Amino acid sequence: MASTISTVLWTIFTISILQYSLVKAAPTKLVHDFCNHLTKRIPSRSDCLSAIAVDLKSDTVSTHIDLAHMILSIGIFNTTNSLNWIKSSKAKYNPGAIIECITGFNYAVSSFASALDVVDLNLHAANSEATLVKNGERYCIDGFTSAKVVMPRQIGKRLKYIDLYSMLGVSIIDRLIHDSRHILN
């Protein structure tokens, strides 16, 4: 049952990406400018654009705070879907490693959610939470390392998305902090 739900969620996620690429307009200039400034932090500008384009509202986002909400929300959605997939397929993997990985994905979801909860109130706390997302990634990696088993490629791929959305979250919050300093000066 859990495997079926996970498969359905992943299918919906994939269809929404395809639907966006076939139907929707390009993300706003704000999104393009944001991704252009990240070329040293991410593998490619297209990774940034496609990660944000998952949200069909990316063609209307007009403020950095709205973009922060969007990125953190996508991080929660994507990481939760990955967590559900891992839970549904845990019987296939080393029990010790997969338990640590599940713990890590839970931690990442909680950190994304905490960052989203406080981004309007305290940018530095939101930045810390978005940074802490990577600890969830580390728990999963450490679980496989300590069990002395090779991490399955599918889990490694999902960890890259945690890393990408964490980096995007930290980057947009950094931008908000930078902007708030200019307002104060």
Side-chain angles (χ1 to χ4, degrees), residues 45-142:
R45 178 179 176 272
S46 65
D47 286 346
C48 176
L49 290 171
S50 61
I52 295 171
V54 169
D55 190 318
L56 299 179
K57 294 177 283 185
S58 67
D59 64 351
T60 61
V61 67
S62 61
T63 67
H64 287 112
I65 193 67
D66 290 342
L67 184 56
H69 284 262
M70 183 179 294
I71 290 168
L72 296 170
S73 295
I74 297 168
I76 292 167
F77 178 78
N78 182 280
T79 307
T80 301
N81 282 343
S82 292
L83 173 63
N84 291 334
W85 179 85
I86 290 168
K87 285 179 178 177
S88 71
S89 29
K90 69 181 177 183
K92 299 178 190 176
Y93 305 113
N94 176 287
I98 207 66
I99 292 298
E100 286 299 312
C101 202
I102 289 170
T103 299
F105 274 79
N106 275 321
Y107 186 92
V109 169
S110 294
S111 294
F112 274 127
S114 293
L116 182 59
D117 286 345
V118 299
V119 73
D120 292 316
L121 307 170
N122 184 332
L123 293 174
H124 293 285
N127 200 334
S128 294
E129 289 296 335
T131 302
L132 289 173
V133 166
K134 289 183 179 241
N135 286 346
E137 178 185 11
R138 176 56 45 205
Y139 291 148
C140 185
I141 292 168
D142 289 349

Side-chain angles (χ1 to χ4, degrees), residues 135-155:
N135 286 346
E137 178 185 11
R138 176 56 45 205
Y139 291 148
C140 185
I141 292 168
D142 289 349
F144 283 95
T145 302
S146 65
K148 297 181 179 17
V149 293
V150 175
M151 179 183 297
R153 187 179 344 196
Q154 187 64 277
I155 292 175

